[in-house]
Amino acid sequence: MAEKTHTIAVVGGGIAGLTLTLGLLHQKVPVTLYESASSFGEIGAGVAFGPNASRAMELIDPKIRQGFENRKTQNLWESKKSRWFDFRYGVGKKIGEGPEERVGELIVSLDTPPGRGTVHRAHFLDEMVALLPDGISRFGKRLVDLTDEGPEKGVVLRFADGTEARHIAVIGTDGIKSRTRELLLGEGHPAAKAFFSGKYAYRALIPMQKASELLGEELANNSQMYFGNHGHVLTFPIERGKTMNVVAFRSREKWENPEWVITVDKQTMQNDFKGWSQHVQNIIANVEKPNIWALFMHPPAPYYYKGRVCILGDAAHASTPHCGAGAGMAIEDSYVLSGLIGQETIDGDLEAAFKAYDAVRRERSQKLVVESKRQAEIYEFEVPEIGEDKESVAAIMRTRMSWIWDEDLPAEARLASELLQKFKAESGT
Ligand code: FAD
């Protein structure tokens, strides 16, 4: 028999699950967080948050923003503190041949409104975990199935260890391979699973001292992006300038390996960037134990909730990382949904709250999935009308990110509240 509880279940303890759980607690909503792993954990890599993401943290709970501020790194040069990236050519005019004069040349620099920063993922997670009260989290709980038994009885969750739990509602924050999404949309649904985006990435961390020797201080200490044909390489400082984070992207048509993260030898990585600029070669040559991450993305889900089951973060809209905003979108989701549930309380109309969240968040978060793919095509000279032309690339980059960074999040939350009242009136609750 499933344990009966009046709390909400959050399934998955990544950035989405933790920001949502902390948001619900801040709203005084009782919650239990189920995580499949034996403890919370993030990979050893950096993540960048735009101003929208840090504002969302503040709006959910100022303590989350404080945790980010405790750990955040900005570009190290005072003059480049608000710089998102300096975009540069990472290849000559024709890769491996022809004139090399434009290599390293600046295409355009893009600044962000205040609030941007980068952080080591595991350190940011630690800050959030420190805010969780005891008794909220359950580990080793991999969701395998659930049954929504309606508003009176709630939802029964079944876990891989054979245990069950009953909750008043379930929010799946279980990432790109989300089981909740599969169960919500139906296993055979064309949008149930992510598909390969055509891009893959190498990720690495290089000690800053080494990076400065290789690249010079300006390039090592401040975020840079090097564009090339069907590939690009980005670097930014993390850990208060102790480490340089590297992500190097390439393209391929198919991904047939069942594993999405594979280890390759150094030669494979070097071959992938043969003919690129000396800066890029230097970065690549210093990556120890390269791993390839296949980049998958979700087809648009036609809805983010049904009855008392809802999805949020990568479970709802996993994107490629080319706008650097997937986790930021998850934090925005958490702000809007925790606020709605907070208004409704546990005995209220949670379906109406999910419906309002879906109405306000689906279009924006799915736009990121589309625009992020497009962003890589711009970085990698794959858009015929833009190509490699400096002026055309600069012109498009100057405005491309504002819809993400300048979002009025309190206005979104107000709209969501109005919709909640409307949906409740319609359903007579
Ligand atoms: P996840 O981090 O995947 O967390 C899901 C959690 O659910 C995990 O803890 C997992 O163990 C657990 N889980 C899974 N299945 C189950 C189950 N069945 N039952 C219980 N628990 C389960 N975003 C940015 O904003 N800025 C960036 O700079 C950025 N860079 C990126 C670079 C790369 C190369 C990639 C691939 C992504 C990048 N992103 C970035 C996107 C960002 O990493 C994701 O959007 C974000 O981490 C998603 O968080 P999440 O909590 O939704 O999912």
Side-chain angles (χ1 to χ4, degrees), residues 307-322:
R308 301 217 144 207
V309 180
C310 187
I311 47 177
L312 181 147
D314 270 15
H317 44 74
S319 164
T320 54
H322 310 299

Side-chain angles (χ1 to χ4, degrees), residues 60-226:
I60 297 171
D61 181 342
K63 290 197 198 109
I64 302 177
R65 173 74 184 260
Q66 189 53 53
F68 170 56
E69 296 295 332
N70 291 347
R71 301 293 189 128
K72 111 173 167 188
T73 300
Q74 289 176 290
N75 285 333
L76 304 187
W77 284 19
E78 206 48 49
S79 58
K80 292 182 185 254
K81 282 270 184 272
S82 58
R83 183 67 38 89
W84 189 44
F85 279 106
D86 288 331
F87 297 101
R88 299 178 184 277
Y89 286 109
V91 293
K93 284 212 169 88
K94 209 167 175 205
I95 195 154
E97 310 166 17
E100 293 286 310
E101 70 272 16
R102 73 172 189 189
V103 160
E105 184 184 320
L106 189 67
I107 302 172
V108 64
S109 296
L110 199 58
D111 286 336
T112 63
R116 173 194 180 272
T118 60
V119 72
H120 191 295
R121 284 172 181 263
H123 297 171
F124 180 55
L125 211 74
D126 286 349
E127 291 284 336
M128 289 196 288
V129 169
L131 298 173
L132 276 183
D134 289 344
I136 299 286
S137 315
R138 310 270 187 279
F139 295 104
K141 295 289 174 191
R142 187 164 66 80
L143 179 77
V144 289
D145 199 9
L146 51 77
T147 313
D148 183 352
E149 295 185 351
E152 293 304 316
K153 291 184 164 174
V155 185
V156 178
L157 295 87
R158 291 179 201 89
F159 299 100
D161 65 359
T163 58
E164 294 186 353
R166 185 184 291 275
H167 286 270
I168 206 70
V170 177
I171 305 165
T173 51
D174 43 351
I176 191 166
K177 293 183 178 170
S178 170
R179 179 67 181 146
T180 320
R181 180 186 180 98
E182 269 179 347
L183 294 166
L184 180 71
L185 298 181
E187 289 188 53
H189 191 283
K193 284 187 192 302
F195 64 93
F196 180 56
S197 70
K199 306 283 176 198
Y200 59 96
Y202 296 92
R203 294 167 115 173
L205 301 177
I206 299 181
M208 186 57 82
Q209 200 181 337
K210 181 87 198 154
S212 296
E213 283 165 22
L214 291 169
L215 303 168
E217 282 204 352
E218 179 179 5
L219 300 187
N221 291 358
N222 304 295
S223 37
Q224 306 293 322
M225 200 178 302
Y226 305 89

Side-chain angles (χ1 to χ4, degrees), residues 371-390:
E371 291 301 327
S372 175
K373 187 167 184 336
R374 177 79 171 171
Q375 193 100 337
E377 290 162 4
I378 296 169
Y379 294 163
E380 302 184 357
F381 309 144
E382 290 171 352
V383 183
E385 62 274 24
I386 302 171
E388 305 180 21
D389 178 64
K390 185 171 169 175

Side-chain angles (χ1 to χ4, degrees), residues 302-347:
Y303 45 86
Y304 282 177
Y305 85 103
K306 198 193 288 174
R308 301 217 144 207
V309 180
C310 187
I311 47 177
L312 181 147
D314 270 15
H317 44 74
S319 164
T320 54
H322 310 299
C323 290
M329 254 332 136
I331 301 171
E332 289 186 9
D333 287 348
S334 294
Y335 163 57
V336 173
L337 185 56
S338 61
L340 285 165
I341 295 175
Q343 281 169 53
E344 219 25 45
T345 76
I346 211 79
D347 302 318

